[in-house]
Amino acid sequence: MNQSFDLTPARLRELRAFAAAARRLNFSRAALEVGCTPSVLSRRIATLEEAVGARLFLRTTRRMALTARGEQLLTQWQRMETVMAELAADLRPPDGELGGRLCVHLPASFGRYRMAPLLAAFMREHPGVRIDAVYDDTYVDMVSGRVDLAVRLGHLADVQLVARRAGTMRLYPCASPGYLASAPPLRDPADLKAHRCITFTGYRRGTLWSFSRQRQRRAVRIEPVLSCNDAQAIRDAILAGVGIGLQGNYMADALVAEGRMVELLPRWQLPAFPVHLLWLPGADRTPALRALIDHLATALTVQ
């Protein structure tokens, strides 16, 4: 007798074969139910009887019945089927809706201004999904942090993650109309040397602002009057007339349209930042995560 009785896939096939035969008391009909031949079904039951250490059926040429051990095992299996059915019903979202909880890691200001409305729209469409949103500019290890989806700006270094490009963030210099009213002229990036400038300490290029226009290049080393690690605080300083600062289009476009900010040097371009969605390999097999990835990628690409 085999002392091990782990519920391996093979063992579960044997138990299903036994349960079908026990309910029908007919190997041929039971074989049709489980999708195998009668001889295969018979071998599975024989292997199960060897593992159990007891006969499960009494068989003659004209009659078939369960033994006491067979009746006991059938009762146990039926209890297990009930528990599995209840578990499946509990895991399945109502009416086929998506469900589950997802942890999403987002850049601080880009996340608040650009991503938060997209997450809200997704949750209105899929009310069964719960989202834990973390707004933070620091790098996060997705395994130890138990993060399902991360949004990152700029070029990627982590090759162990799956990445999907989802649009671009454009950066441009801005100032308030009040500041420009008394400021020196600004026709070329080199003129920034004569201006009060605000820098973002999280900007990878630091105080070196590199502009391009067709084949022309201008790299200007800024001497900041204010350095800050928060993009929203930089926006507020620009609006208050402190000086010229770089702003992402996700935050500045609306203010420029309202006339509260002015886009400067519009014919010159700063390097753009690619936007990527990242997840662990295989994680997108979860329906809710796959739907969120598609939703965000579509919305960010069409902007």
Side-chain angles (χ1 to χ4, degrees):
M1 173 179 151
N2 183 2
Q3 297 299 320
S4 176
F5 202 86
D6 294 333
L7 289 178
T8 62
R11 184 70 72 222
L12 288 171
R13 283 195 296 269
E14 294 161 8
L15 285 165
R16 291 190 181 97
F18 158 74
R23 284 191 290 262
R24 294 181 177 275
L25 294 178
N26 183 298
F27 274 26
S28 296
R29 293 175 183 172
L32 287 174
E33 179 182 328
V34 299
C36 66
T37 64
S39 60
V40 169
L41 183 121
S42 180
R43 285 197 299 272
R44 289 178 182 175
I45 292 174
T47 303
L48 181 63
E49 287 178 326
E50 182 181 353
V52 172
R55 294 183 66 186
L56 302 175
F57 292 96
L58 295 172
R59 299 178 66 190
T60 66
T61 56
R62 302 180 61 181
R63 189 169 178 272
M64 178 175 169
L66 283 170
T67 64
R69 184 68 182 93
E71 290 177 352
Q72 181 188 33
L73 183 59
L74 179 61
T75 300
Q76 292 170 326
W77 173 257
Q78 288 171 335
R79 283 204 301 268
M80 181 173 158
E81 284 183 318
T82 300
V83 170
M84 294 300 291
E86 291 173 351
L87 177 61
D90 184 60
L91 292 175
R92 186 183 306 115
D95 302 324
E97 293 180 358
L98 295 177
R101 183 174 292 275
L102 300 173
C103 179
V104 183
H105 191 273
L106 306 151
S109 61
F110 183 81
R112 286 193 296 269
Y113 280 86
R114 187 71 182 99
M115 304 301 301
L118 302 183
L119 292 179
F122 178 82
M123 295 183 74
R124 285 195 298 270
E125 186 176 349
H126 304 289
V129 178
R130 302 289 182 264
I131 291 180
D132 296 329
V134 179
Y135 296 86
D136 187 1
D137 284 325
T138 60
Y139 173 85
V140 63
D141 183 288
M142 295 186 64
V143 176
S144 61
R146 298 183 179 181
V147 175
D148 298 293
L149 181 68
V151 178
R152 291 185 185 162
L153 305 176
H155 298 287
L156 301 176
D158 198 334
V159 297
Q160 296 181 339
L161 300 175
V162 181
R164 180 170 174 181
R165 177 76 177 263
T168 302
M169 186 197 79
R170 191 169 72 89
L171 205 64
Y172 53 81
C174 299
S176 69
Y179 170 81
L180 294 173
S182 57
L186 181 60
R187 301 183 183 89
D188 186 272
D191 296 335
L192 287 166
K193 288 284 190 179
H195 283 264
R196 295 170 60 84
C197 293
I198 307 164
T199 58
F200 177 50
T201 56
Y203 184 42
R204 186 171 63 87
R205 294 174 178 84
T207 58
L208 185 65
W209 294 3
S210 300
F211 295 84
S212 64
R213 185 178 70 179
Q214 298 176 350
R215 296 185 180 181
Q216 293 180 288
R217 299 288 185 272
R218 295 280 194 282
V220 183
R221 180 69 67 180
I222 300 301
E223 297 293 337
V225 297
L226 172 65
S227 296
C228 184
N229 68 343
D230 183 82
Q232 186 167 328
I234 291 176
R235 180 206 65 176
D236 293 343
I238 294 171
L239 290 172
V242 173
I244 295 172
L246 302 183
Q247 288 284 274
N249 61 323
Y250 65 90
M251 189 156 39
D253 282 356
L255 294 170
V256 170
E258 293 169 6
R260 298 174 63 196
M261 268 190 195
V262 178
E263 179 181 357
L264 306 174
L265 303 170
R267 298 175 63 188
W268 292 88
Q269 304 296 318
L270 286 159
F273 289 82
V275 180
H276 286 98
L277 307 177
L278 296 99
W279 61 93
L280 294 170
D284 56 330
R285 287 196 290 265
T286 303
L289 180 57
R290 186 168 60 249
L292 179 59
I293 291 168
D294 290 341
H295 170 81
L296 295 179
T298 299
L300 289 169
T301 302
V302 184
Q303 61 175 330

